[in-house]
Amino acid sequence: MTISQEQATWFAQTFAQLADNVERAVLGKRHVVELVLTTMLSDGHVLLEDVPGTGKTSLARAMAQSVQGTNTRIQFTPDLLPGDITGITVYDQKEGAFEFHAGPVFANIVLADEINRASPKTQSALLEVMEEGRVTVDGVSREVGVPFLVLATQNPVEQAGTYRLPEAQLDRFMMRTSLGYPDHAATVRILDGAAVATADLAAVITPQALVGMADLAADVYVDALVLDYIARIVDGTRSADEVRLGVSIRGALALTRATRTRAASQGRTYATPDDVKSLAVAVLSHRLILHPEAEFDGVTQEAVVGQVLLDVAPPTRREAV
């Protein structure tokens, strides 16, 4: 079933209202806000690579406030245990039974701060819940609920005492992006007190309606030529000289899902090559493993994806039906 034009128009209007609301708390970062919203509506998760103090916590709280959802923050440290994330079962002597104490992962939006500071064992505790939307403790599986978004952060500058995220975990993040510092005009507005406190933000939509938006996005039409374009881009990352390991099929599927959502956010019932190109760097770059020689020469993953987009010609025939 394909999304109707009326539904696409409503989707675009609601998406813009959500972005406007979040941007009241996170000034001057419209593009990043839209990327995070696109990820949440595509059932994905986001990795934010940023130095401290750029507004990552404000972004997570503003997102939660805007969708009437719950949010938690987990500060990852070397001594953090998997049970500190997922929760544990405790024996209740009065009741004579084990009782589950839910961990902070049971929220609509989870900010996993400095995820690379925890041990690999603790990092892997997020894998099941990010992929499946549920937690298994002592053999019992529990759903974390919907919507569910993990906003994980890591400091790209300070690497002392950190554990590099394995490729298997990086691949589970739909997008990698960065808030970065605000521009001069936004900085002046922030210093003048223009940014709204996240607690004062009004809700735009309910969690149930947000799930309905995600279902609508999944019904956006993607022409076979656009799918072929995505496949050729993915193939291009695998054959690039600088790349040791290219984009996986999971990455291709993630780009397709995000493309559908991006099209709906523009009020269209169909996806175009421009939707793919606007998201390719954020969705694909962190999935590449470069040759050490290329890294030594200063080649970046983003530059490789950008070059692939230049080399792979988009389809010219109209993709809509």
Side-chain angles (χ1 to χ4, degrees):
M1 180 178 176
T2 306
I3 183 175
S4 69
Q5 184 56 57
E6 184 180 5
Q7 290 171 323
T9 302
W10 173 82
F11 188 106
Q13 291 172 346
T14 308
F15 187 94
Q17 290 172 2
L18 283 166
D20 289 342
N21 205 48
V22 174
E23 202 181 10
R24 292 175 64 202
V26 187
L27 299 180
K29 294 298 175 183
R30 179 74 176 207
H31 178 62
V32 178
V33 169
E34 289 183 349
L35 285 179
V36 175
L37 279 172
T38 298
T39 303
M40 183 163 65
L41 289 165
S42 306
D43 296 326
H45 308 283
V46 180
L47 178 64
L48 291 174
E49 284 197 341
D50 261 314
V51 294
T54 52
K56 299 181 291 291
T57 303
S58 295
L59 173 63
R61 289 176 177 168
M63 294 278 293
Q65 284 287 113
S66 298
V67 301
Q68 286 186 5
T70 56
N71 80 285
T72 55
R73 180 177 180 271
I74 308 171
Q75 182 64 55
F76 279 69
T77 57
D79 59 348
L80 193 73
L81 299 175
D84 297 329
I85 299 172
T86 59
I88 57 173
T89 51
V90 178
Y91 185 72
D92 189 329
Q93 291 185 332
K94 290 184 179 180
E95 299 292 332
F98 285 95
E99 182 180 286
F100 179 67
H101 289 204
V105 79
F106 286 87
N108 296 122
I109 297 177
V110 178
L111 179 65
D113 212 5
E114 294 194 285
I115 187 174
N116 55 334
R117 292 206 172 275
S119 67
K121 182 178 181 180
T122 301
Q123 290 176 10
S124 66
L126 276 178
L127 287 180
E128 181 192 15
V129 66
M130 286 173 62
E131 189 75 13
E132 307 292 341
R134 62 172 179 264
V135 167
T136 302
V137 179
D138 293 337
V140 180
S141 293
R142 295 175 173 86
E143 303 288 333
V144 295
V146 289
F148 177 67
L149 172 72
V150 172
L151 271 173
T153 75
Q154 60 179 359
N155 185 342
V157 178
E158 179 55 62
Q159 296 297 324
T162 63
Y163 300 87
R164 185 173 178 174
L165 289 178
E167 286 71 26
Q169 186 156 334
L170 280 173
D171 204 30
R172 282 169 168 78
F173 287 100
M174 176 172 278
M175 293 193 197
R176 180 181 68 180
T177 186
S178 170
L179 274 170
Y181 294 122
D183 60 25
H184 179 77
T187 300
V188 172
R189 292 175 60 205
I190 292 169
L191 296 178
D192 195 38
V196 176
T198 52
D200 297 332
L201 288 179
V204 174
I205 196 172
T206 64
Q208 294 76 20
L210 192 79
V211 174
M213 286 183 70
D215 292 339
L216 286 178
D219 289 334
V220 168
Y221 174 74
V222 184
D223 190 84
L225 286 175
V226 178
L227 294 176
D228 176 73
Y229 182 49
I230 293 173
R232 286 188 288 119
I233 290 173
V234 169
D235 287 339
T237 67
R238 296 169 183 168
S239 59
D241 293 337
E242 306 89 346
V243 176
R244 182 159 58 92
L245 188 65
V247 174
S248 67
I249 190 66
R250 181 189 283 123
L253 288 169
L255 182 56
T256 305
R257 291 203 310 272
T259 296
R260 293 181 194 272
T261 304
R262 203 309 181 139
S265 73
Q266 303 299 306
R268 283 184 275 103
T269 62
Y270 58 92
T272 69
D274 284 340
D275 294 322
V276 178
K277 289 162 69 173
S278 67
L279 297 169
V281 172
V283 176
L284 302 182
S285 62
H286 63 286
R287 305 172 194 271
L288 303 181
I289 302 177
L290 303 182
H291 286 296
E293 297 84 2
E295 290 186 281
F296 184 77
D297 290 339
V299 176
T300 64
Q301 296 161 315
E302 290 80 3
V304 172
V305 175
Q307 186 59 49
V308 169
L309 291 175
L310 291 174
D311 293 340
V312 177
T316 54
R317 184 165 64 83
R318 189 169 183 265
E319 288 74 33
V321 288

